[in-house]
Amino acid sequence: MMIELRTGDFEAFFQAPSHAYGQDSLYVSPMRADLARFLSPVENPLFQSPDDIAFFTAHRNGFPVGRITAHIHRASNARHNETRAHFGFFDCGDDPDAARALLTYAETWAKARGMTEIAGNFNLTAMQQAGVVTDGFDAAPYTDQIYNPPHIVRLLEANGYARDFPMTTSEIDLQSLDPARLLGPKQKAHLASGEYSFAPVNRKTLAARMEDARVILNASFTDNPMFVPVSAEEFHFQAKEMKAILDTRISVVLMRKGAPVGAVIAIPDLNPLVRATGARLRWSTPWHYLRYRLTRRRAVIIFQGVMPDFHGAGLNPLMLWHVLSAMKQAGYHKVGGTWIADVNAASLRQLEKVGGKPLHRLHLFRKALA
């Protein structure tokens, strides 16, 4: 049966991974409503034009067996002097014909817009889910960690894509960790000085603390590869649902003399809840949520950073001591971490100090466009 390609069929795009991977896959979809707004060039401030994104599905025998986005992050191209298109949400069965059709369509779309290279996965930027899992396929992903089965790597390489920019996600076993070991002389001196305080991230303070976190993110990540400063509109668009899922005990902004100097933003791992609801808001969702609240044992650190003037001052261990202690007290057993690039040696050393272990190995996959 021939492969049929469709453009803009959102319901098929949403359903494609379940048809491609089956119900036993570790893949967990974004919530359907979130996926819809992320792909909307009208709603998502990432896109400067409706022509900056398109999404495609591959169908066999009437069923969606694969999907992909093709999009342009114009701010990234301007900052890094590139003419690069991104592909994202590349989910496909072990079907070479479907994969070839989807990738060719994305490449053609990119070339028609003057792009000379395509790379992915970006779902949808480097500050969101990025990469393709190349090892660690048996590890269940946390919220905001990308996941794909092994055949995706083979399909990309068969279509001329090369691995680039190696990354690792991580996991910390809180049950075997004593957070107090993070308190060295520097950290103890900061606590004793009276200059530092921990500002809680709760429902009343969420807007202010999220803006603090955005400022810290932009300042602390400015020299990282692929980083693009995140506008207030983009940041708050991405964090729109934060209030509903917030556990007020496990995020913090560190203040020095009343000014924000560091932040750790963490959320409960929502993947068990999303899987239970089929990634849709249903009448049964409140019941699933209450059940999930009673059994959740995993959290994930979405972001941590320190203002550049305080690099080397020992603030990251101080914040992690505070947050990981709070997680243990709240009953969490494990905490995941989003991707860290191999070139980010300082963050990898920090992860090792808190007992973090590699969870998934990831790479970007790139291809020059003739």
Side-chain angles (χ1 to χ4, degrees):
M1 186 73 179
M2 294 288 292
I3 292 294
E4 175 197 358
L5 282 178
R6 298 181 191 173
T7 302
D9 185 340
F10 176 75
E11 191 59 34
F13 190 90
F14 173 68
Q15 293 178 5
S18 63
H19 287 288
Y21 301 150
Q23 297 303 312
D24 294 333
S25 172
L26 294 178
Y27 172 85
V28 181
S29 172
M31 289 296 288
R32 184 182 185 280
D34 287 335
L35 183 62
R37 68 189 186 90
F38 281 133
L39 296 182
S40 170
V42 175
E43 292 187 61
N44 193 335
L46 175 70
F47 303 115
Q48 298 178 16
S49 161
D51 195 44
D52 284 351
I53 183 171
F55 56 90
F56 318 109
T57 47
H59 299 250
R60 190 185 288 278
N61 298 325
F63 292 98
V65 294
R67 69 179 186 182
I68 198 168
T69 62
H71 54 285
I72 298 171
H73 188 185
R74 296 192 181 278
S76 178
N77 282 348
R79 180 179 176 91
H80 300 293
N81 193 30
E82 295 171 333
T83 49
R84 172 191 280 184
H86 293 167
F87 71 86
F89 296 97
F90 178 51
D91 295 291
C92 187
D94 194 357
D95 186 330
D97 291 338
R100 186 182 309 110
L102 288 165
L103 292 165
T104 299
Y105 213 90
E107 293 162 19
T108 301
W109 182 94
K111 285 190 285 188
R113 286 151 183 81
M115 300 296 107
T116 60
E117 179 186 55
I118 189 166
N121 275 311
F122 288 98
N123 298 352
L124 291 160
T125 73
M127 292 299 101
Q128 296 171 279
Q129 293 180 339
V132 174
V133 176
T134 53
D135 198 9
F137 299 104
D138 294 335
Y142 287 73
T143 298
D144 223 31
Q145 289 181 349
I146 210 162
Y147 182 82
N148 55 265
H151 67 257
I152 292 294
V153 177
R154 175 164 35 84
L155 293 173
L156 283 163
E157 291 178 338
N159 283 277
Y161 286 77
R163 301 185 192 198
D164 185 39
F165 200 73
M167 302 168 277
T168 302
T169 63
S170 61
E171 183 177 67
I172 299 168
D173 183 356
L174 290 176
Q175 293 181 291
S176 62
L177 174 69
D178 179 7
R181 80 186 205 191
L182 296 171
L183 291 179
K186 282 184 179 179
Q187 291 74 38
K188 291 176 181 177
H190 291 325
L191 289 172
S193 71
E195 294 183 353
Y196 292 90
S197 61
F198 297 102
V201 181
N202 55 42
R203 285 166 177 78
K204 288 184 178 179
T205 66
L206 182 63
R209 296 292 82 81
M210 287 296 98
E211 180 58 18
D212 291 339
R214 184 187 72 86
V215 172
I216 293 165
L217 170 72
N218 284 343
S220 61
F221 278 63
T222 188
D223 294 330
N224 284 24
M226 300 193 302
F227 182 71
V228 179
V230 182
S231 71
E233 189 180 13
E234 287 177 55
F235 190 85
H236 296 295
F237 174 83
Q238 294 176 22
K240 181 179 178 181
E241 306 303 326
M242 183 77 76
K243 195 169 186 178
I245 63 175
L246 193 66
D247 183 340
T248 58
R249 300 168 292 183
I250 62 173
S251 291
V252 72
V253 173
L254 181 66
M255 300 285 191
R256 180 178 182 271
K257 298 181 179 179
V261 293
V264 177
I265 304 300
I267 61 172
D269 173 30
L270 295 172
N271 279 356
L273 174 64
V274 174
R275 185 182 288 276
T277 61
R280 295 175 183 265
L281 293 175
R282 307 173 186 268
W283 66 267
S284 59
T285 298
W287 179 84
H288 284 296
Y289 181 68
L290 290 173
R291 185 179 181 186
Y292 157 77
R293 283 284 300 267
L294 295 173
T295 59
R296 66 186 182 191
R297 294 293 181 266
R298 304 203 321 173
V300 56
I301 293 176
I302 301 296
F303 154 70
Q304 67 182 80
V306 172
M307 294 294 279
D309 287 350
F310 294 86
H311 286 178
L315 300 189
N316 261 319
L318 179 62
M319 293 189 298
L320 285 171
W321 162 76
H322 180 88
V323 166
L324 296 178
S325 298
M327 286 180 177
K328 288 197 71 166
Q329 188 172 0
Y332 291 96
H333 292 174
K334 295 190 175 187
V335 57
T338 53
W339 66 265
I340 300 175
D342 283 13
V343 296
N344 193 343
S347 292
L348 291 171
R349 285 195 302 270
Q350 181 67 56
L351 178 64
E352 187 176 349
K353 288 179 181 178
V354 297
K357 303 295 184 183
L359 193 65
H360 306 109
R361 189 67 169 158
L362 306 99
H363 290 78
L364 292 179
F365 279 73
R366 299 171 60 179
K367 183 177 182 179
L369 299 175

